[in-house]
């Protein structure tokens, strides 16, 4: 049996920060296998967002660490994410959606105080209509946000909370403590 590999302190602290944050109740996080070829040290989380018991968004957050760093990263740590959600057709067809989706990410990181640099990514909106044996619901729309950024330090709890805020925005969840009008029930209703 091979001896355990000692993890660099920076990577160990970063992983601890990702593991320590508690997302809002609609978001379930799970540790999953991370791609091994992207960096010497990797860690990954997957997320599922539920609204009224239905899965409305999913995501993956990957932590990369290369002790010698990368010029493009501008550091030794890099966070990479992929988030996707089904949207109402009208929203998915909105030409302003990509800009709004990108703002969901940058605002979420800024609101949580997740200092970052070298941020980049794409926002993709798609519309799908099923035919033949795949015929089903009417046209559906999707949004995909793919992005990566370099944290300014190894305290990643704010980054995880920012990522969870991105997931919530993408899934159309109201901000914490706010009840959507459609969720309100009249007094005395069961």
């Amino acid at each position: 049996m091979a001896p355990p590999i000692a993890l660099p302190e920076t990577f160990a602290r970063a992983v601890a920060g990702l593991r320590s944050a508690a997302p809002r109740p609609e978001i379930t996080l799970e540790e999953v296998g991370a791609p091994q070829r992207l960096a010497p040290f990797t860690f990954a989380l997957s997320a599922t967002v539920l609204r009224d018991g239905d899965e409305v968004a999913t995501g993956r957050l990957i932590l990369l660490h290369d002790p010698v760093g990368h010029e493009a990263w501008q550091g030794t740590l890099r966070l990479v994410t992929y988030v996707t959600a089904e949207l109402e057709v009208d929203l998915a067809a909105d030409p302003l959606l990509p800009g709004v989706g990108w703002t969901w990410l940058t605002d979420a990181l800024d609101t949580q105080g997740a200092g970052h640099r070298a941020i980049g990514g794409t926002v993709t909106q798609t519309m799908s209509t099923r035919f033949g044996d795949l015929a089903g619901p009417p046209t559906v729309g999707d949004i995909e946000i793919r992005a990566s950024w370099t944290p300014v330090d190894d305290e990643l709890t704010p980054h995880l909370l920012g990522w969870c805020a991105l997931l919530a925005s993408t899934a159309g969840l109201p901000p914490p403590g706010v009840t959507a009008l459609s969720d309100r029930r009249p007094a005395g209703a069961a």
Side-chain angles (χ1 to χ4, degrees):
M1 179 184 275
I5 297 173
L7 296 177
E9 189 175 324
T10 297
F11 181 71
R13 274 196 308 269
V15 169
L18 292 176
R19 287 178 171 156
S20 70
R24 53 192 287 176
E26 302 94 337
I27 301 174
T28 303
L29 300 179
E30 178 182 358
E31 290 184 27
V32 294
Q36 299 300 305
R37 295 182 183 160
L38 300 177
F41 301 92
T42 59
F43 175 81
L45 293 169
S46 71
T48 302
V49 183
L50 299 177
R51 184 176 58 223
D52 300 326
D54 294 326
E55 182 178 297
V56 292
T58 59
R60 189 166 180 161
L61 182 67
I62 302 167
L63 168 64
L64 306 175
H65 176 59
D66 189 335
V68 298
H70 281 278
E71 186 177 330
W73 293 3
Q74 299 177 21
T76 63
L77 294 171
R78 190 76 174 164
L79 288 166
V80 179
T81 189
Y82 169 76
V83 172
T84 185
E86 190 173 298
L87 300 174
E88 294 177 14
V89 174
D90 293 347
L91 183 57
D94 190 329
L96 299 176
L97 179 63
V100 171
W102 187 252
T103 300
W104 288 337
L105 170 62
T106 57
D107 285 356
L109 293 174
D110 292 344
T111 299
Q112 294 299 325
H116 60 277
R117 62 179 163 257
I119 190 169
T122 62
V123 178
T124 305
Q125 62 196 106
T126 59
M127 304 272 283
S128 301
T129 304
R130 298 179 179 144
F131 296 95
D133 289 345
L134 294 177
T139 301
V140 294
D142 293 291
I143 184 171
E144 296 177 354
I145 300 171
R146 295 175 186 262
S148 63
W149 64 94
T150 299
V152 296
D153 58 37
D154 59 12
E155 173 46 57
L156 297 192
T157 301
H159 294 269
L160 181 70
L161 294 174
W163 182 62
C164 288
L166 167 65
L167 285 160
S169 294
T170 306
L173 297 179
V178 174
T179 302
L181 291 176
S182 61
D183 293 343
R184 295 180 56 152
R185 300 189 197 296

